[in-house]
């Protein structure tokens, strides 16, 4: 059994609601589209790290599955999201214009836990995942925390939320793989330099980045929280499409639903390299036809 494990993120303070949100703003942000929607029932209770699930394609659409997107900011009864138009559903969302209405459920998922007063924080965002850290950065600064941030992407066009995080974080480091702006390379370079000065690390972005950042934090004895970007077909814990293996307090692994038990997890609990697989030592794997390897001494296979 591992001696130190981060605790599960606490449940949200408010139940989600479903309704029609009115689009009040749409603007391009680098390679993405930022939508601002009026929905006080969601915006007034949302916490950093939570997300919303949109119905896409309109009332007669054949696209039955919702699209889940992190909340980037809230205020005055409105919330914003950053959409990466990559397939039919997200392209439809990115094409919404002011005055349009869209069916949405939220806020969903568990928020980022806040640190003890005075704890310095390091935020790490990859691609449009950085948008999920904007509200958190502002909240931490308003509570008197020192906030540093590292934001990276493949190239300048895929960076996100640079202006917003610049206002709340110092130092603030930008990296790009191709060197088109900021430091050339991955976020892990500056994270390795800054993590020892942090009391907690928060990250959102691609799985390989989350694994690397969580590993750096754990190696330095710094707790980390990661917001995973798994595809969530329902967003409410029913369809089980977003499960991933997570280590429990007893040292055994179980599948957790990203939408309900996450999307925020302690970074040292997620078995990143086993995401998308069925590890034989996960609880219940034998019932699914996978040979079980005893995880605890003395356990009967």
């Amino acid at each position: 059994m591992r001696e130190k494990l981060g605790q599960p993120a606490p449940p949200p303070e408010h139940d989600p609601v479903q309704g029609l949100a009115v689009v009040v703003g749409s603007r391009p942000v680098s390679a993405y589209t930022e939508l601002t929607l009026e929905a006080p029932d969601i915006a007034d209770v949302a916490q950093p790290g939570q997300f919303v699930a949109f119905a896409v394609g309109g009332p007669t659409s054949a696209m039955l599955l919702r699209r889940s997107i992190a909340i980037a900011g809230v205020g005055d009864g409105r919330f914003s999201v950053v959409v990466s138009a990559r397939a039919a559903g997200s392209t439809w969302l990115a094409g919404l214009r002011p005055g349009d209405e869209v069916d949405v459920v939220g806020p969903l998922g568990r928020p980022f836990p806040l640190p003890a007063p005075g704890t310095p924080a390091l935020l790490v965002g990859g691609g449009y995942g950085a948008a999920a850290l904007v509200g958190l950065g502002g909240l931490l600064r308003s509570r008197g925390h020192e906030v540093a941030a590292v934001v990276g992407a493949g190239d300048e066009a895929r960076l996100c939320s640079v202006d917003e995080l610049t206002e709340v974080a110092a130092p603030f480091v930008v990296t790009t793989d191709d060197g088109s702006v900021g430091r050339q390379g991955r976020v892990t370079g500056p994270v390795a330099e800054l993590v020892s000065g942090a009391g907690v690390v928060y990250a959102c972005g691609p799985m390989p980045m989350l694994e690397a950042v969580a590993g750096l934090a754990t190696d330095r004895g710094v707790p980390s929280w990661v917001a995973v970007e798994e595809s969530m077909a329902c967003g409410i814990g029913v369809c089980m499409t977003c499960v991933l293996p997570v280590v429990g307090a007893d040292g055994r692994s179980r599948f957790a639903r990203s939408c309900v038990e996450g999307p925020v997890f302690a970074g040292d609990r997620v078995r990143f390299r086993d995401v998308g697989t069925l590890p034989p030592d996960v609880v219940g794997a034998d019932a699914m036809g996978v040979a079980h390897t005893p995880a605890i001494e003395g356990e009967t296979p």
Side-chain angles (χ1 to χ4, degrees), residues 3-289:
E3 294 182 354
K4 294 183 178 179
L5 279 170
Q7 296 298 309
E13 297 177 358
H14 300 276
D15 293 331
V17 297
Q18 178 182 1
L20 292 177
V22 180
V23 178
V24 294
S26 174
R27 67 182 182 110
V29 178
S30 300
Y32 316 108
T33 299
E34 181 187 79
L35 295 177
T36 301
L37 303 105
E38 186 163 333
D41 290 346
I42 294 175
D44 293 348
V45 299
Q47 299 169 270
Q50 291 190 284
F51 64 94
V52 291
F54 293 100
V56 295
T60 61
S61 172
M63 293 185 284
L64 300 179
L65 303 182
R66 290 177 177 265
R67 302 301 188 270
S68 297
I69 302 178
I71 297 172
V74 297
D76 299 326
R78 300 173 175 181
F79 70 89
S80 60
V81 296
V82 174
V83 182
S84 177
R86 294 186 293 186
S90 54
T91 299
W92 181 88
L93 267 180
L96 293 177
R97 293 293 179 264
D100 290 342
E101 292 183 331
V102 59
D103 187 292
V104 62
V105 180
L108 294 165
R110 302 191 178 204
F112 288 115
L114 299 180
T119 303
L122 173 61
L123 313 184
V124 186
Y128 65 93
L133 303 172
V134 171
L136 175 66
L139 180 59
L140 291 173
R141 282 298 300 270
S142 71
R143 296 166 67 97
H145 294 273
E146 294 180 10
V147 178
V150 181
V151 170
D155 53 38
E156 183 176 8
R158 291 179 173 78
L159 288 169
C160 184
S161 303
V162 171
D163 292 342
E164 293 85 350
L165 288 172
T166 298
E167 295 180 359
V168 300
F172 177 69
V173 182
V174 170
T175 70
T176 51
D177 296 350
D178 65 356
S180 51
V181 67
R183 287 175 52 171
Q184 184 171 14
R186 304 295 176 86
V187 296
T188 46
V191 169
E193 299 166 8
L194 295 170
V195 67
S196 295
V200 61
V201 175
Y202 298 95
C204 184
M207 279 293 186
M209 188 206 83
L210 297 183
E211 178 184 8
V213 171
L216 287 169
T218 300
D219 289 346
R220 305 306 199 278
V222 178
S224 65
W225 296 101
V226 297
V228 301
E229 296 181 330
E230 292 292 279
S231 296
M232 303 172 186
C234 75
I236 56 174
V238 175
C239 69
M240 306 294 285
T241 59
C242 62
V243 297
L244 74 172
V246 174
V247 182
D250 59 358
R252 302 186 66 189
S253 297
R254 297 170 179 81
F255 277 116
R257 297 165 295 182
S258 299
C259 61
V260 176
E261 282 83 44
V264 175
F265 294 97
D268 60 351
R269 282 182 174 266
V270 180
R271 291 175 53 166
F272 291 101
R273 297 186 180 182
D274 293 322
V275 172
T277 72
L278 177 55
D281 61 325
V282 167
V283 174
D286 47 352
M288 291 180 276

